[in-house]
DNA sequence: ACGAGGTCCTGCGAGC
DNA sequence: TGCTCGCAGGACCTCG
């Protein structure tokens, strides 16, 4: 799915096109993405309301309305959020979940092939309860290495799994967990609470730099991901391990290997550069 | 508390 | 060519 850099790209593209605009003619084509909100209440809460802001939190796009309610969309694996300034074709609409008219011929669309994505509608209290329940943003200025080290070392689970735990740090998914661990030369299966200080320092730096570089590249398009202007990202050409099983390590030329030992997710790494060192 | 595994969905590519 | 199978960027749940 879109991870932090992809949702950040989407939100940067969408914000200028949505902020200050009044939403008209909301159409919900699929209801299985709704969580704790009825179709009727969602549509009524959108229709005629102005968008106050479009922001990212973790891997979610957050649309704050003038009513104070927030529509939160988690694109998960295959969700795409785009504003179109042309007439939509049948092909465009094939996987449409939510359509909103923005005026001036512009249309916002959330489409989602697998529909593992979700739409929430949260009031102020529910929003704060949620945002307080997940981890801090790794790219915030005040997210320092001590905070990172403390959050990682509180678990003896595999460091890769802990990196991807949204309750510990927000926004890191499978691609960037693989990349950051490779860059930091840390074995993904190491128990998080057994990393040395120097490894935690490296990992902290690499998590932040890989996320920043991916944002600069407008995210990673493997298959489904599109930016808010329906374009592909370009970070896929800069991946060093993810999707490169059997190819040579960029550092030592050893063939990269993939396991599914950690939480059943694909972990690609260099057993030589990321040797366990405990 | 932890790990394992199932669940929600559809599409695609590999292999036969 | 056409079929079945496993896998896919996520996160939630239950069970033992």
């Amino acid at each position: 799915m879109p991870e932090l850099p992809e949702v950040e790209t989407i939100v940067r593209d969408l914000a200028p096109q949505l902020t200050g605009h009044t939403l008209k003619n909301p159409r919900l084509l699929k209801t299985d993405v709704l969580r704790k909100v009825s179709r009727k209440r969602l549509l009524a809460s959108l229709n005629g309301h102005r968008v106050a802001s479009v922001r990212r939190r973790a891997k979610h796009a957050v649309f704050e309305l003038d009513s104070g309610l927030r529509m939160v969309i988690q694109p998960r694996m295959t969700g795409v959020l785009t504003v179109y300034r042309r007439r939509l074709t049948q092909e465009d609409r094939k996987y449409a979940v939510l359509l909103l008219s923005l005026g001036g011929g512009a249309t916002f669309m959330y489409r989602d092939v697998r529909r593992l994505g979700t739409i929430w509608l949260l009031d102020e209290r529910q929003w704060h309860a949620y945002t307080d329940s997940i981890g801090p943003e790794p790219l915030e200025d005040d997210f320092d290495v001590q905070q990172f080290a403390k959050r990682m070392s509180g678990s003896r689970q595999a460091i890769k799994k802990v990196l991807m735990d949204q309750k510990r740090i927000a926004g890191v998914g499978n691609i960037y967990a693989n990349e950051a661990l490779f860059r930091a030369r840390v074995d993904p299966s190491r128990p998080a609470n057994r990393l040395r200080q120097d490894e935690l320092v490296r990992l902290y730096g690499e998590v932040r730099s890989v996320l920043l570089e991916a944002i600069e590249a407008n995210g990673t398009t493997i298959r489904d991901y599109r930016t808010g202007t329906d374009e592909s990202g370009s970070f896929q050409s800069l991946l060093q391990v993810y999707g490169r099983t059997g190819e040579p390590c960029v550092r030592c030329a050893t063939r990269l290997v993939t396991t599914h030992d950690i939480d059943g997710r694909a972990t690609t790494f260099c057993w030589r550069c990321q040797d366990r060192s405990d």
Side-chain angles (χ1 to χ4, degrees):
Chain A
M1 104 164 197
E3 304 181 27
L4 183 156
E6 289 74 28
V7 181
E8 182 64 27
T9 302
I10 289 168
V11 159
R12 287 181 185 184
D13 288 342
L14 295 182
Q17 309 198 70
L18 284 165
T19 306
H21 287 254
T22 299
L23 305 173
K24 299 265 174 62
N25 191 22
R27 284 142 287 168
L28 186 72
L29 293 312
K30 308 281 182 184
T31 54
D32 51 4
V33 298
L34 299 179
R35 294 292 180 279
K36 293 173 187 167
V37 57
S38 68
R39 163 204 198 88
K40 192 176 167 189
R41 192 166 84 90
L42 177 71
L43 294 179
S45 303
L46 294 171
N47 196 25
H49 282 276
R50 207 173 54 85
V51 177
S53 70
V54 183
R55 295 203 174 91
R56 180 190 61 75
R57 170 75 171 114
K59 307 174 188 175
H60 324 316
V62 182
F63 304 82
E64 189 181 357
L65 304 171
D66 57 5
S67 59
L69 291 174
R70 286 172 174 85
M71 176 174 70
V72 179
I73 301 183
Q74 302 196 352
R76 300 263 179 105
M77 303 286 256
T78 54
V80 174
L81 309 177
T82 314
V83 172
Y84 289 92
R85 300 199 165 270
R86 56 172 168 79
R87 216 183 143 76
L88 294 176
T89 64
Q90 272 309 106
E91 187 64 18
D92 294 329
R93 292 165 171 268
K94 188 167 179 195
Y95 301 106
V97 171
L98 178 67
L99 294 166
L100 300 168
S101 298
L102 304 174
T107 306
F108 166 86
M109 176 164 77
Y110 163 40
R111 71 169 188 270
D112 196 337
V113 170
R114 289 174 68 183
R115 295 199 312 285
L116 297 176
T118 54
I119 300 177
W120 299 340
L121 186 71
L122 305 180
D123 62 25
E124 198 70 22
R125 190 186 58 79
Q126 293 170 312
W127 165 250
H128 283 108
Y130 181 70
T131 194
D132 291 349
S133 74
I134 61 175
E137 289 291 329
L139 297 181
E140 286 291 300
D141 292 339
D142 59 359
F143 184 70
D144 58 25
V145 67
Q146 285 77 18
Q147 206 178 145
F148 175 77
K150 190 174 176 190
R151 293 197 157 257
M152 292 299 103
S153 57
S155 169
R156 51 196 171 88
Q157 307 223 57
I159 183 62
K160 177 169 176 253
K161 184 171 171 162
V162 178
L163 269 181
M164 291 172 63
D165 181 349
Q166 300 303 298
K167 290 188 163 47
R168 294 194 180 265
I169 329 183
V172 179
N174 201 30
I175 293 180
Y176 301 109
N178 277 295
E179 294 299 311
L181 287 160
F182 172 76
R183 288 171 172 222
R185 307 192 304 280
V186 172
D187 179 338
S189 65
R190 292 271 301 290
N193 62 357
R194 298 234 296 272
L195 294 202
R196 297 186 310 268
Q197 187 61 24
D198 63 297
E199 293 174 313
L200 287 166
V201 169
R202 287 206 301 275
L203 191 55
Y204 164 81
E206 298 299 351
V207 164
R208 292 180 31 126
S209 58
V210 77
L211 294 174
L212 281 172
E213 288 167 35
I215 291 169
E216 267 181 61
N218 295 318
T220 301
T221 298
I222 302 296
R223 176 177 296 168
D224 301 283
Y225 164 69
R226 293 291 178 277
T227 70
T229 52
D230 205 24
E231 292 167 282
S232 290
S234 61
F235 197 72
Q236 60 278 9
S237 66
L238 300 173
L239 296 174
Q240 297 184 310
V241 284
Y242 185 86
R244 296 192 64 240
T245 313
E247 294 180 37
C249 170
V250 297
R251 192 179 292 121
C252 76
T254 300
R255 285 163 71 87
L256 299 175
V257 293
T258 295
T259 72
H260 288 82
D261 297 346
I262 303 167
D263 210 28
R265 312 290 302 281
T267 301
T268 305
F269 67 105
C270 174
W271 54 264
R272 196 163 157 202
C273 294
Q274 295 167 267
D275 196 9
R276 61 172 55 247
S277 43
D278 57 353

